[in-house]
Amino acid sequence: MLGGARVEAVVVETEAYRGPGDPASHAATRSGPTARNAAMFGPPGHAYVYLIYGMHWCLNVVTGPEGEASAVLVRGAEPLSGRDVMAERRQRRRPLLAGPGRLCQGLGVDGGLYGHALDRPPLLLARGWEVHEELVGVSGRIGVVAAAEEPLRFYVRGSPGVTPGTPRD
DNA sequence: ACTCCGATTGTT
DNA sequence: ACAATCGGAGTA
């Protein structure tokens, strides 16, 4: 019942992960595809979901052509509808969708969506709207050790949907 | 078989 | 500042 509730949100923070050449990517390996990162090597538009720290799910969108293993981590969003459902899933904690783990919890995303095609229910990804360039913040990726300085994180400046602690600049 | 630790979050 | 919590990846 709660799992079938329809909720909507607008993505306001992402991080790019490139193929095997990116040392911070889960696809950066000497032995090729594994059971965990297999979805990254698949066709674009599908979900790559993984469990971090044994407790939080993270949602990625596979972006590159098949075999390239590039993906985008969805790090934050602003609720558009169904805030009550999100709040229930989040056990009344805030923020609701700011941060990759919180976003998955609020949207009900888990390992069951591994490899899911994002052009159909139960999880749909659609084009949003233009964001003026001056409102787009760029920074290094959060929580990664390798290539931490690479400007591969993008977010909407001042949005409540971005990871807490992000500078307003 | 065994060890280490992470694309995080919440509490002290 | 620190604990929670566990499967994947690397080593043997």
Side-chain angles (χ1 to χ4, degrees):
Chain A
M1 191 163 271
L2 185 123
R6 176 187 173 92
V7 302
E8 294 174 300
V10 55
V11 176
V12 294
E13 181 186 356
T14 60
E15 263 180 17
Y17 287 86
R18 291 169 155 161
D22 184 348
S25 171
H26 288 168
T29 173
R30 314 92 186 122
S31 53
T34 65
R36 179 173 73 148
N37 67 23
M40 293 184 79
F41 290 86
H46 288 237
Y48 164 48
V49 182
Y50 72 95
L51 189 63
I52 187 67
Y53 291 104
M55 53 186 107
H56 305 295
W57 293 103
C58 288
L59 170 67
N60 292 253
V61 179
V62 179
T63 51
E66 198 159 353
E68 190 173 298
S70 56
V72 166
L73 170 67
V74 184
R75 287 195 56 95
E78 285 185 39
L80 292 178
S81 66
R83 290 190 61 125
D84 51 341
V85 177
M86 298 178 191
E88 185 66 26
R89 290 200 182 109
R90 289 276 298 133
Q91 300 172 271
R92 321 265 302 175
R93 299 200 116 318
R94 311 218 167 186
L96 296 178
L97 304 176
R102 300 185 183 103
L103 182 143
C104 283
Q105 188 175 31
L107 294 182
V109 172
D110 61 21
L113 287 172
Y114 187 90
H116 169 71
L118 293 164
D119 64 345
R120 69 192 62 181
L123 182 61
L124 291 161
L125 180 66
R127 180 177 296 279
W129 49 82
E130 296 287 324
V131 176
H132 195 280
E133 183 158 343
E134 283 146 20
L135 280 178
V136 179
V138 184
S139 77
R141 294 174 291 189
I142 295 180
V144 300
V145 289
E149 313 306 310
E150 293 296 304
L152 294 173
R153 170 170 174 257
F154 306 90
Y155 58 94
V156 177
R157 293 197 154 115
S159 167
V162 304
T163 300
T166 301
R168 308 275 298 191
D169 58 52

